[in-house]
Amino acid sequence: MEAMTNCAFCAVSGELTMRALFRRLKQLRTDLSGNILVMVGAGTAALVGSAGIGVDAVQWYLWKRQMQQTVDSGSMAAALALHKGDDWEAAAKLAMNKTTNEPYSIEKLTNPPDTGAYTGDNLAIEVIATTSAKLPFSSVFMKNAAVIRVRSVATAIGEGEHCVISLKKNGVGIGVVGTANVNLGCGVAANSKSSPAVKLDGNSYLKANPISSQGGIDYADSNIDSGTTLIPYGEEVADPIAGRNLTPPNSACDNTGNKGISIAPSDNKVINPSSAGSIVYDKDGDGFTTICGGLDVKGTLTLQSGIYVIDGGDLKINSGAKITGNDVTIILTGDNAGKMADVDISGSAVVDLTATDDDTSDWDGILIYQDPVGSNHTSTINGGSDLGLEGIVYMPNGDVQFNGSSGQHADCLLLVASTVTFGGESSLDYDSTKCPFDTSTIDNASKIIRVVE
């Protein structure tokens, strides 16, 4: 009986409790005093979630920046190694490992790039890398971790056009001495790794852009034009002619007692390679006209179209002399460096020579070529207002002293030598649009490794 009474009490008590709860809920429905608490509770959850996502987003951004630096370092290192002929893949991976502290995967490392504007550039390297890791807040909402993917393309970019290139590997390659005033419509480049490789003396002035060297550049602000691009400790400028593998022809000269040819002041002579009636001609039919012992011009001389070989002695053009020739190449050679033919042009001589124009010939564009054996002497070009040299003067192991004078100018002169020293007033240019021969295969620009995409 007592148990039944207790059970009835429980039922009544439970019914009263539920009624009270429903009553209270009805009261809360119209009670506005608790809204703020509910809103704060809901807002706090959203705020905490947003802050968490924000923290993760910042981390993703930092990863992307770091990974971009990583792939940029890799592509530049690879492009530089490729330019030098080294293992570019190993260079890329080494540079990337040194740049980042985060684990990453290389998705693509190719030459040339598979995509983008540089797909046809054999000097360009494309690097694509990814990194991924779960983060505390974003992992609550994301099944998989975010993947950060970055890309970089680097290549060797030509910087300016050089009309004077020194190939010497040490010491001063290009010097501007005394009070020389040199105005070039192009750049100069020295492949010497010394400091300085380019040296501008105290009162000298060089207007050239850019001025490039593998070593240092010694100058004062008064020595150069404002706005000049200086590239010290840069990359080597490739020998623009080396790829042709030019070889001087075998000479018929015996180099014993050859006195060469002398054009007297009163003479007016013509050399025609195809004519036996001229001073000299191509006796063996090999396409080269050989002059043994040098060519000394004091009078007037015309060179007909052809290739001339001067074996020993000098090509000497004296004061008051006049020499002209269109579509010609002059090859300087000799038994050894001590007997190598050189160039000696006086300032008051009239010189009007234009290089061979034959895009089927290896000698196309070559005006003066000196045997790579080199010379123990310095070739001297004293340019007056009547100096006209249009073409490539190539003396890879010879030294050239270029002394200009007021009014002297050349529109298409590419001077490549072991060393080049300027004195006097010189004005040179190498404008490919003004050259009378094909310049499309001549690369005379310095190379700078840059990220381009």
Side-chain angles (χ1 to χ4, degrees), residues 12-164:
V12 174
S13 177
E15 184 178 352
L16 291 174
T17 302
M18 291 299 296
R19 288 178 179 176
L21 176 61
F22 286 133
R23 191 183 310 113
R24 184 58 181 160
L25 288 174
K26 288 181 180 180
Q27 293 174 348
L28 287 175
R29 186 174 60 182
T30 58
D31 189 353
L32 300 180
S33 62
N35 284 0
I36 298 300
L37 181 61
V38 174
M39 293 176 62
V40 168
T44 299
L47 181 63
V48 171
S50 299
I53 292 295
V55 169
D56 285 3
V58 169
Q59 183 62 60
W60 292 332
Y61 176 73
L62 291 175
W63 279 348
K64 183 173 178 59
R65 287 191 60 183
Q66 185 181 50
M67 286 301 300
Q68 191 63 58
Q69 292 176 350
T70 299
V71 294
D72 286 348
S73 298
S75 65
M76 290 184 65
L80 178 59
L82 178 65
H83 181 62
K84 293 181 175 181
D86 297 333
D87 186 341
W88 56 271
E89 291 181 289
K93 293 174 182 178
L94 179 61
M96 292 173 70
N97 288 337
K98 289 182 177 180
T99 307
T100 185
N101 295 321
E102 299 296 335
Y104 66 90
S105 298
I106 296 178
E107 180 179 307
K108 185 178 291 186
L109 178 55
T110 56
N111 164 246
D114 292 332
T115 58
Y118 290 83
T119 53
D121 185 354
N122 290 326
L123 297 177
I125 303 291
E126 180 182 27
V127 181
I128 299 177
T130 62
T131 187
S132 179
K134 286 189 174 182
L135 295 175
F137 288 97
S138 57
S139 61
V140 175
F141 308 99
M142 300 172 62
K143 181 178 179 180
N144 298 316
V147 176
I148 307 299
R149 185 176 184 270
V150 289
R151 174 180 180 270
S152 178
V153 175
T155 189
I157 300 294
E159 183 73 19
E161 193 173 55
H162 300 86
C163 58
V164 179

Side-chain angles (χ1 to χ4, degrees), residues 106-443:
I106 296 178
E107 180 179 307
K108 185 178 291 186
L109 178 55
T110 56
N111 164 246
D114 292 332
T115 58
Y118 290 83
T119 53
D121 185 354
N122 290 326
L123 297 177
I125 303 291
E126 180 182 27
V127 181
I128 299 177
T130 62
T131 187
S132 179
K134 286 189 174 182
L135 295 175
F137 288 97
S138 57
S139 61
V140 175
F141 308 99
M142 300 172 62
K143 181 178 179 180
N144 298 316
V147 176
I148 307 299
R149 185 176 184 270
V150 289
R151 174 180 180 270
S152 178
V153 175
T155 189
I157 300 294
E159 183 73 19
E161 193 173 55
H162 300 86
C163 58
V164 179
I165 301 174
S166 164
L167 300 178
K168 189 177 181 180
K169 300 298 184 182
N170 53 69
V172 175
I174 294 178
V176 184
V177 300
T179 58
N181 188 338
V182 183
N183 187 355
L184 307 182
C186 49
V188 300
N191 285 343
S192 169
K193 295 182 179 180
S194 299
S195 186
V198 177
K199 182 175 176 58
L200 310 181
D201 282 350
N203 294 320
S204 65
Y205 176 77
L206 173 62
K207 184 176 182 179
N209 199 27
I211 301 176
S212 311
S213 72
Q214 278 199 285
I217 301 174
D218 186 1
Y219 74 102
D221 289 342
S222 59
N223 296 133
I224 61 174
D225 195 36
S226 61
T228 299
T229 299
L230 298 173
I231 311 176
Y233 305 105
E235 291 303 305
E236 177 180 86
V237 175
D239 182 338
I241 306 302
R244 298 192 188 186
N245 297 315
L246 297 175
T247 303
N250 294 325
S251 173
C253 302
D254 58 15
N255 291 310
T256 57
N258 295 310
K259 295 182 179 179
I261 296 175
S262 180
I263 309 298
S266 58
D267 287 344
N268 188 344
K269 301 290 185 180
V270 176
I271 297 181
N272 188 339
S274 62
S275 172
S278 63
I279 302 173
V280 292
Y281 65 100
D282 181 13
K283 295 181 180 179
D284 53 10
D286 62 358
F288 299 95
T289 297
T290 301
I291 301 173
C292 301
L295 177 60
D296 188 359
V297 183
K298 296 183 176 71
T300 300
L301 176 65
T302 300
L303 300 178
Q304 296 292 339
S305 174
I307 299 176
Y308 299 85
V309 179
I310 300 178
D311 189 345
D314 291 325
L315 169 59
K316 186 174 178 62
I317 306 173
N318 295 271
S319 177
K322 181 178 180 180
I323 182 171
T324 60
N326 186 43
D327 194 24
V328 300
T329 293
I330 299 171
I331 299 174
L332 308 174
T333 188
D335 279 353
N336 52 59
K339 295 182 179 179
M340 184 63 57
D342 296 301
V343 174
D344 185 358
I345 301 176
S346 295
S348 58
V350 176
V351 180
D352 186 7
L353 297 173
T354 302
T356 296
D357 180 13
D358 180 2
D359 56 11
T360 66
S361 170
D362 290 337
W363 299 98
D364 183 45
I366 304 294
L367 180 60
I368 299 175
Y369 173 93
Q370 189 176 68
D371 193 320
V373 169
S375 175
N376 289 341
H377 307 100
T378 298
S379 290
T380 304
I381 301 175
N382 294 308
S385 58
D386 291 319
L387 175 68
L389 298 175
E390 305 295 332
I392 302 168
V393 176
Y394 185 71
M395 301 181 176
N397 286 303
D399 300 324
V400 176
Q401 173 79 38
F402 198 100
N403 302 311
S405 63
S406 179
Q408 175 269 314
H409 184 75
D411 289 324
C412 175
L413 178 58
L414 174 57
L415 179 56
V416 182
S418 176
T419 67
V420 180
T421 304
F422 287 100
E425 295 186 30
S426 302
S427 180
L428 305 179
D429 200 355
Y430 182 78
D431 185 344
S432 58
T433 63
K434 297 180 180 179
C435 291
F437 51 85
D438 182 18
T439 62
S440 61
T441 61
I442 299 173
D443 183 4

